[in-house]
Amino acid sequence: MAINITDYFRNDGKDSDQIDVHLTAEQVEAIGAELDELRTRIMADVGQKDRDYIYGIIRAQRKLEFAGRAAMYVPFIPPVWLAGVASLGISKILDNMEIGHNVMHGQYDWMREDTYNSRDFDWDTVCPGEQWKHSHNYMHHTFTNVIDEDRDIGYGILRMARDQKWNPYYLGNLAYATALMFLFEWGVMLHDLEVEKIVQGERKWNDIKGLVKGQVRKAGKQVLKDYVIWPALTGPFFATTLVGNAGANLIRNIWTYSIIFCGHFPTGAQTFTKEETENETKGEWYLRQMLGSANIEGSELFHIMSGNLSHQIEHHLFPDVPANRYPEMAKEVREICEKYDLPYNTGGLTKQLGSTWKKIAKLSLPNSWTKDDNNVHLHIERAHDAAKATRTTKVA
């Protein structure tokens, strides 16, 4: 296999002239072997400190939730009430990202705990865990950035790649993205239904009735808890508590959406076609994860608040490794990228977020109307294929 990658970005993410990268089939598999060795070494070291870490996060999340719930009883002191909304929002972020997302990936199954394992854990959001594990753990992490396979590319409502055929519906790209940001937990819940296929008549009620029943059951519990039971427990402060709970959910939705989109869709993140990933080797799979993901730079607290999905490259490479290990793994992954002259897409939150929203805006228009800011040319010649597979990926 011979790969030629041309990127408009240096490994540090700064604007530069084009970079040509040439890899042989042996080099691609060598990359895979180095990443396998890194995973094996880290997992061999996983133990008590990782257990202490996740239980420390759980304790912090519970304290923040308690403080937030308690503050709902004093809405007549606005600063305290607002601090309570923020505290509750942060607790929901930790529950969803650093605890729920990572536990349901199986990152802590090695602890053999009754609650904090990928089979039994239930998170504080409207999406049933089993459905999320199918659409995310299986579909997204197996077919990462493969158009028409990975439905996380646009979540079925957005155009997030130039290879997606444009139609007038996508003129609303920015509006759809904004609505998804505000209602992100509901968008995640509906994800496994493949709503666009229902609209097109490709999926029938018999195909989705089991999913819908699960969603109604899980969402019903969440709505009852956040918008009926907890407000009722505050008696005369029912209305302000309801508003506070809605505010906390909004904080969680906006933050989660922003971190996830920055890890998948800023300039430089590639998409692939099904044909390009046929007969894919382990080394080529690793390469796809690195080229299709992006990191966000920040403090230790920032990484915790993102569930360490600020290390999205490492997460896509090692989804079942405890996420608190990603910072140390990132140093070695970056060294591997530098060794083979591969791009390592990283930048601050403002840079990655701005780049992502710019892409959403540009992809609302036909390709012929917009300039292609970043062309990544990927030429693949697989030794086990009779023909040479060549393509030009255009990333807005």
Side-chain angles (χ1 to χ4, degrees), residues 28-271:
V28 172
E29 297 314 307
I31 291 171
E34 289 187 49
L35 292 170
D36 279 339
E37 189 278 330
L38 172 59
R39 182 189 182 282
T40 299
R41 176 161 34 91
I42 293 296
M43 288 304 295
D45 187 54
V46 164
Q48 188 60 44
K49 63 181 178 181
D50 303 282
R51 183 191 300 269
D52 293 342
Y53 175 83
I54 192 60
Y55 273 103
I57 295 296
I58 291 166
R59 286 192 297 271
Q61 184 271 325
R62 289 175 176 175
K63 290 176 182 178
L64 286 163
E65 182 176 6
F66 178 82
R69 299 294 185 194
M72 295 298 110
Y73 286 88
V74 288
F76 45 84
I77 308 178
V80 174
W81 183 82
L82 289 171
V85 174
S87 180
L88 187 56
I90 293 170
S91 80
K92 286 176 175 285
I93 288 170
L94 289 176
D95 177 89
N96 280 190
M97 303 191 77
E98 186 70 309
I99 303 172
H101 172 275
N102 295 337
V103 167
M104 291 198 293
H105 257 298
Q107 293 180 9
Y108 296 97
D109 283 0
W110 55 271
M111 296 196 309
R112 302 188 184 280
E113 297 282 355
D114 291 337
T115 303
Y116 295 100
N117 62 73
S118 59
R119 183 185 66 256
D120 298 325
F121 185 81
D122 189 22
W123 55 357
D124 182 29
T125 186
V126 296
C127 182
E130 287 304 314
Q131 294 186 28
W132 179 84
K133 283 184 283 188
H134 174 260
S135 62
H136 183 81
N137 289 9
Y138 172 63
M139 294 300 295
H140 173 58
H141 277 276
T142 302
F143 307 106
T144 310
N145 282 28
V146 179
I147 295 174
D148 295 329
E149 292 284 350
D150 179 8
R151 296 189 63 258
D152 279 25
I153 302 176
Y155 288 80
I157 60 173
L158 302 175
R159 184 174 185 246
M160 293 305 303
R162 294 180 76 91
D163 288 338
Q164 289 176 277
K165 185 178 180 181
W166 183 87
N167 65 62
Y169 163 84
Y170 291 118
L171 290 171
N173 232 28
L174 280 169
Y176 310 145
T178 302
L180 180 62
M181 177 177 67
F182 291 145
L183 301 169
F184 194 58
E185 66 171 324
W186 296 94
V188 172
M189 183 194 78
L190 296 173
H191 199 31
D192 221 25
L193 291 182
E194 301 182 78
V195 175
E196 72 278 9
K197 292 186 178 180
I198 298 173
V199 173
Q200 296 166 2
E202 297 178 19
R203 299 199 81 183
K204 306 300 182 184
W205 171 248
N206 285 339
D207 300 324
I208 64 169
K209 62 181 181 181
L211 297 175
V212 171
K213 289 179 181 177
Q215 291 170 1
V216 170
R217 187 163 50 248
K218 183 65 165 70
K221 290 179 181 178
Q222 290 297 124
V223 170
L224 185 66
K225 175 178 71 71
D226 277 342
Y227 303 123
V228 179
I229 294 177
W230 279 114
L233 289 174
T234 59
F237 308 125
F238 182 97
T240 53
T241 301
L242 188 151
V243 172
N245 288 351
N249 283 329
L250 182 63
I251 290 170
R252 184 266 319 279
N253 287 347
I254 293 174
W255 179 257
T256 305
Y257 167 95
S258 298
I259 294 298
I260 290 174
F261 269 57
C262 283
H264 294 83
F265 305 123
T267 298
Q270 286 196 67
T271 55

